[in-house]
Amino acid sequence: MKFSNVKLVITDMDGTLLNSNHEVSDQFFNLFRKLKEHNILFCAASGRPLYGILDKLSNIKDDILIVAENGGLTLKNDEVLLSTEIQKENLEKINKALNTIENVNAVYCTKDKAYTTSTSEKLLELLSEYYKNHERIDSPESITAPIYKIALFHEISSEKYLYPHLQHLESEFKVKVSANHWVDISENNANKGYAVELIQDKYNISPDETMVFGDYNNDIEMLKKAHFSYAMENAHPLVKQTANYSTHSNDDFGVEKILELLINEKESN
């Protein structure tokens, strides 16, 4: 397998392309221009909402594909390629399960806004970064827009205190530890791997021609769709087990260093 064959680059955002200050580097934007010159498609795939991804990549938004809400929404410009909302009867089933768990803080994610019933000051502070368009409500039943994902926040550890109480839902839903404080629930087909496969089919690109970067468990499905799959140095152990390759951390330009190698090989050919 050669870098010169790569036609599609996909990267997660938080913990991967974004540094610990939630910033995209100037170096990446310079590299992106070269990717475009070599006709390499770029896709940002994140648990973030659409508006949160657009906020970070606003100056290149017209030239990229976006997989938002862990695969619940996939778009190219204003064209919706995939939309997988949580069905009403499934929302009721998930909410019933959540009512049995202590210290769980739910965020209901729609295309344009996030809603929460939580009063956690730590969560509300984080929402300003991850879900700028958010609103506190009294009941999830007041939400009328389609819900693509329920993001569950725990102030100490989602993997330790939330995930064990949600594992029984995995036979019906996609339940993913997406960060230290977060567990995400969505419909089974609302995952990054399903979205990546759709993109590959649409543009006639094989896994051997695909490069993917990720750091947490919600990236595992999409890492499996690429030969050039990279785990960040700061990645969860399961991600490191899944990926074929590794790179430096998000604070040490791990994505950018591999993209430089990719572009150098493209230019040498």
Side-chain angles (χ1 to χ4, degrees):
M1 306 294 176
K2 295 182 178 180
F3 274 3
S4 56
N5 295 330
V6 172
K7 297 178 180 177
L8 171 64
V9 171
I10 305 163
T11 180
D12 172 52
M13 296 290 285
D14 293 280
T16 305
L17 183 63
L18 302 182
N19 63 24
S20 295
N21 293 321
H22 310 292
E23 300 164 335
V24 182
S25 71
D26 291 337
Q27 183 184 0
F28 166 75
F29 288 115
N30 291 330
L31 291 165
F32 172 79
R33 286 191 284 273
K34 293 184 178 180
L35 291 177
K36 190 177 175 184
E37 287 173 9
H38 289 282
N39 297 314
I40 298 173
L41 286 172
F42 177 80
C43 174
S46 178
R48 282 178 177 255
L50 174 63
Y51 53 88
I53 300 172
L54 291 174
D55 180 57
K56 300 296 181 181
L57 300 172
S58 58
N59 55 338
I60 60 172
K61 63 182 178 63
D62 295 333
D63 297 313
I64 66 174
L65 289 143
I66 292 176
V67 173
E69 304 291 10
N70 284 336
L73 269 173
T74 301
L75 301 95
K76 178 69 169 74
N77 297 334
D78 294 327
E79 180 187 2
V80 177
L81 305 180
L82 179 66
S83 177
T84 310
E85 65 189 79
I86 301 176
Q87 298 303 304
K88 184 178 179 182
E89 61 272 19
N90 289 339
L91 277 173
E92 293 171 357
K93 189 177 294 186
I94 294 167
N95 283 329
K96 186 176 179 180
L98 296 183
N99 289 335
T100 67
I101 305 173
E102 291 184 3
N103 300 317
V104 62
N105 300 277
V107 181
Y108 298 86
C109 308
T110 72
K111 182 172 180 286
D112 299 312
K113 185 181 277 192
Y115 301 86
T116 186
T117 58
S118 174
T119 57
S120 165
E121 290 184 8
K122 190 170 182 179
L123 170 62
L124 295 174
E125 182 181 335
L126 284 174
L127 288 180
S128 297
E129 168 60 36
Y130 296 104
Y131 299 93
K132 288 186 177 179
N133 301 347
H134 67 270
E135 180 180 336
R136 194 183 170 280
I137 54 174
D138 294 325
S139 168
E141 294 178 0
S142 65
I143 303 169
T144 57
I147 296 168
Y148 291 97
K149 182 188 74 185
I150 302 174
L152 306 175
F153 174 82
H154 193 278
E155 293 195 359
I156 300 172
S157 169
S158 64
E159 190 163 18
K160 183 176 181 180
Y161 295 105
L162 297 183
Y163 181 65
H165 301 287
L166 299 165
Q167 279 183 285
H168 69 282
L169 295 175
E170 289 186 318
S171 60
E172 298 178 80
F173 306 104
K174 191 62 67 177
V175 182
K176 285 290 178 181
V177 178
S178 60
N180 184 48
H181 297 286
W182 297 94
V183 173
D184 297 334
I185 304 178
S186 59
E187 294 284 356
N188 254 320
N189 284 345
N191 67 80
K192 295 181 185 183
Y194 190 84
V196 167
E197 190 171 350
L198 178 144
I199 291 167
Q200 289 170 326
D201 290 345
K202 178 178 176 62
Y203 293 97
N204 193 28
I205 295 172
S206 72
D208 290 345
E209 298 167 326
T210 305
M211 178 178 283
V212 171
F213 299 89
D215 78 306
Y216 237 91
N217 296 356
N218 57 332
D219 299 321
I220 286 174
E221 285 88 354
M222 73 171 180
L223 288 163
K224 291 178 178 179
K225 300 297 180 181
H227 170 74
F228 296 104
S229 55
Y230 286 85
M232 310 302 290
E233 187 178 301
N234 51 287
H236 188 283
L238 286 176
V239 172
K240 292 182 177 180
Q241 290 175 23
T242 302
N244 292 329
Y245 303 97
S246 62
T247 185
H248 296 264
S249 75
N250 61 318
D251 286 327
D252 195 22
F253 306 100
V255 172
E256 290 90 335
K257 286 176 178 176
I258 301 301
L259 293 184
E260 281 185 341
L261 295 175
L262 168 62
I263 290 164
N264 287 340
E265 182 156 334
K266 285 281 187 180
E267 292 181 347
S268 68
N269 283 272

